[in-house]
Each structure stands twice: as structure tokens, then as C-alpha cells.
Amino acid sequence: MMEQESGRRRYNSLRRVAQAHQTRAEIADAARRLFIAQGWAATTVRDVAREAGVSVPTVYAAYQNKPGLVRALADAADLSAGLPQMIDELEGTSEPRAHLAAMAGYDRRVYERAGDLIALIREAGRTEPELAELYVQARREADQTRVQVFSSWPRGTLRHGLDVPVAVDIYAALCNIDVYTTLTVERSWSPDRIEEWWGLALARELLSHPE
């Protein structure tokens, strides 16, 4: 009997960690639901706590404040969209068309799974400097990935007259949340169709030999 009790105590700390992770996840899920349904300004930390079934101090202990919650949601969106998958795909080939397809696939997954969150961050950034910086930082990091990929290609890969900065601008003009939203909501395109079109359009616009 004592040995059984000892075993239970041995895993108590692990159980507390698991419970803490579960609580953080429930708070984050509640926050996302409320932010999307009510908007950033109308949602308070008290609302989030009530929705998650926890105390207000628990929310602050887990995420510090509302911007902290949004940052955590943005980090989770990167992982759920398969950032490690994109990196593996980029490292697994030297073929420019495959690189473009990998990046377009990642962007599609981000917009498909977190487009509402991206729109929220952009809108809330009008009044919240911390979230405005989060949006700018995310765009900057995405551009840096494209710079790194395009710079790795042999000379002559980019279409005549293009340099890396302009290629990054063209990529950003084609693959963004507004294009994705227009095609899915207004034009009834499927995410698969958008991803396929992005791959073809990027190759046509950026590569000297798109086929």
C-alpha cells in the first residue's frame, strides 16, 4: 500500500504540469473564440476567464495580458500550420519550383487555420502598438525566409530583370491573407485550388524557366 502511495506521489508533479498545460490550452481556446466573435476591444480578460471557467488571476498568470494571449495564439498557429514541415521540404530539394510549392503550401495552411486570427491581429494593431509590432514582425520574418530561399538559387534562376527584393515583393503581392480571403469567400475557391494556383503563378512570375 505504501509503495502504491509512493508511486502516486512520484507522478504528482507531472500531473500538475499536465493540468497547467490543459488550463493554458483552455484559456487560449476561450480567448480565440471570444476575440473572433466579439472583437478585440470588446473582449476583456474577465470575459476570457469566465469563458474558460478559471479565475482572472489564472489568466494573468498564464499569459500576462491580452496581447500575451494573442502572441501565444500566433505561435501556436505557426506550429499547427506545419512550419517544421516547410523547413524539411525546403531542405529536401534544390529545385526552385519545389521551394515555391513548399512556401505556398505553408502560407495556405496558415491562412486556412489562422486567417481569422491574422485579421484580428491586424485590426487590433490599429490601437495596440504591441500587436501592430507583432504583425510587422511576422511579415518581416516571412520576407526573410523568402530572401534566404531566393538567394540560395543559382544565378539566372530568377526571371530576367528581377532581383531578390523585387521577387520577395511579388511573392507577397500574390500570397497574402487578402488574396486568400477573396478567393475562398467571394470566389468559392478551395484551399487546394489556391495552393495549386499559387505554385503555378509564382513559378510563372519569378522563374526564368517556369516549366
Side-chain angles (χ1 to χ4, degrees):
M1 186 68 172
M2 289 183 61
E3 184 176 343
Q4 185 177 9
E5 289 297 326
S6 175
R8 288 182 183 145
R9 286 196 297 272
R10 185 183 307 134
Y11 294 109
N12 276 348
S13 60
L14 183 59
R15 185 174 291 107
R16 285 193 295 271
V17 170
Q19 289 170 343
H21 281 304
Q22 179 64 29
T23 299
R24 285 175 61 87
E26 290 170 356
I27 293 170
D29 288 344
R32 180 165 181 164
R33 288 194 300 271
L34 291 176
F35 287 152
I36 300 307
Q38 300 179 177
W40 166 263
T43 301
T44 66
V45 171
R46 186 173 297 280
D47 292 334
V48 173
R50 185 183 305 113
E51 179 76 8
V54 300
S55 68
V56 170
T58 297
V59 176
Y60 280 114
Y63 292 105
Q64 296 185 328
N65 51 27
K66 280 170 61 177
L69 260 168
V70 175
R71 282 185 173 276
L73 290 171
D75 289 342
D78 266 347
L79 291 176
S80 70
L83 181 58
Q85 175 187 336
M86 181 188 71
I87 294 171
D88 287 343
E89 291 171 349
L90 290 173
E91 292 178 341
T93 181
S94 60
E95 170 56 46
R97 282 177 60 89
H99 286 165
L100 293 173
M103 291 189 292
Y106 172 74
D107 287 340
R108 167 262 176 101
R109 293 190 298 272
V110 167
Y111 300 145
E112 185 177 15
R113 301 175 192 184
D116 53 1
L117 181 61
I118 295 169
L120 169 74
I121 292 171
R122 186 165 62 178
E123 180 62 28
R126 301 180 190 278
T127 56
E128 288 284 345
E130 188 174 347
L131 294 185
E133 175 56 29
L134 175 61
Y135 183 76
V136 170
Q137 178 184 344
R139 296 297 299 270
R140 190 183 302 125
E141 289 174 355
D143 282 351
Q144 189 55 45
T145 296
R146 295 157 195 164
V147 167
Q148 186 174 351
V149 171
F150 298 163
S151 298
S152 73
W153 292 346
R155 185 183 300 274
T157 299
L158 287 174
R159 189 162 55 82
H160 180 69
L162 292 185
D163 58 15
V164 168
V166 173
V168 170
D169 290 344
I170 291 172
Y171 187 107
L174 282 171
C175 299
N176 61 66
I177 185 61
D178 297 309
V179 170
Y180 181 87
T181 301
T182 297
L183 291 176
T184 54
V185 175
E186 297 181 15
R187 302 296 172 176
S188 301
W189 281 35
S190 70
D192 284 343
R193 185 180 180 188
I194 294 172
E195 181 180 342
E196 180 182 8
W197 174 70
W198 272 344
L200 294 172
L202 288 167
R204 183 173 60 249
E205 292 297 323
L206 299 182
L207 302 182
S208 57
H209 302 289
E211 299 300 331

